[in-house]
Amino acid sequence: MAPAPAAEGAGLSPGAARGLAVRERLPLWLQDRCEVRPRTVAAVAVVLVAAVGFAGQQYWWARPQTVTAPAVVTPGAVPAASAASAGAPAGAGSPGGAGGAARIVVDISGKVRDPGVRRLPAGSRVEDALAAAGGVRPGTDTTGLNRARVLVDGEQVVVGAPAQPPVAGAGGGPGPGAGPGPGPLSLGSATVAQLDGLPGVGPVLAQHIVDFRTARGGFRSVEELRQVDGIGERRFADLRTLVRP
């Protein structure tokens, strides 16, 4: 008869006694085959814990995650500025075209390097016209030339030439809206219709100029044109090179 477990475990440490108790509960064939010892049990436990941890890690990595779909970019319309610049016709500045109002045509003559007809952007000044004609010839007197004056369509810019009297036609002076003659217009003899042809001068302002001339007995200088009712500094700057006393 086998001795009792308590007798066999007499004098053993608590850990050894517990191990011996576990071994005694295992089947005899397992004890004989595997020779189960505490170290073997601990190794198996470590392997099991590692396997459980590895499986948990794989499960965590393989879990479903929320993915934000990228924004859908739809082809937009071409910006208005790009479309306007790309769709502008090459001949927009030609007279009679859709963009004819964006350019003006002036005749530059006199003592310039390359006289002739030039097409310039609307709002250009006399200085721009001189540059388009290659500049003024050396030694030319430009004292009476207002380089800052704004040009008008159909105007003639004469550089360094003496003032010429207006040419009177057989049927009278030019009608309303006609441009000035080849030279500066005489304020002392111009009619209302001729004054009406100056840029920025309408029939009412032309009548004021004639009334001022009648009241003062004529114009002694072009500067007196500033005293006419309705003529400011800007309009005077546009007219000073187109008229003479």
Side-chain angles (χ1 to χ4, degrees):
M1 184 174 188
E8 291 181 0
L12 298 177
S13 63
R18 285 193 297 270
L20 183 59
V22 171
R23 181 178 181 182
E24 288 294 333
R25 288 178 174 78
L26 295 176
L28 294 177
W29 62 270
L30 184 59
Q31 296 182 32
D32 295 336
R33 281 179 164 281
C34 300
E35 297 181 357
V36 176
R37 290 181 174 82
R39 291 184 179 178
T40 304
V41 176
V44 173
V46 171
V47 172
L48 291 176
V49 171
V52 172
F54 180 77
Q57 184 183 32
Q58 294 299 320
Y59 174 79
W60 179 260
W61 286 352
R63 76 188 190 280
Q65 298 182 3
T66 304
V67 179
T68 303
V72 179
V73 180
T74 57
V78 180
S82 301
S85 59
S94 59
R103 302 185 71 84
I104 59 174
V105 181
V106 295
D107 181 14
I108 310 167
S109 60
K111 297 182 179 180
V112 291
R113 298 181 185 275
D114 187 17
V117 177
R118 297 290 185 274
R119 289 174 172 82
L120 302 174
S124 298
R125 301 179 183 269
V126 174
E127 180 68 18
D128 300 325
L130 298 180
V136 180
R137 293 180 181 177
T140 303
D141 183 14
T142 59
T143 304
L145 188 64
N146 181 11
R147 295 173 178 261
R149 181 174 58 81
V150 179
L151 297 170
V152 296
D153 186 47
E155 179 180 345
Q156 182 184 37
V157 179
V158 182
V159 181
Q164 302 179 5
V167 179
L185 186 64
S186 174
L187 295 174
S189 59
T191 63
V192 173
Q194 290 174 330
L195 293 171
D196 186 17
L198 293 173
V201 178
V204 176
L205 184 55
Q207 187 61 51
H208 287 173
I209 295 174
V210 173
D211 294 342
F212 181 89
R213 179 181 65 195
T214 303
R216 297 294 185 92
F219 286 86
R220 292 183 294 274
S221 67
V222 177
E223 299 295 327
E224 291 184 354
L225 194 60
R226 295 180 177 179
Q227 303 177 23
V228 177
D229 185 21
I231 296 182
E233 291 297 327
R234 183 173 181 178
R235 183 166 295 173
F236 174 76
D238 295 339
L239 297 174
R240 64 182 303 174
T241 59
L242 301 179
V243 297
R244 60 186 178 89

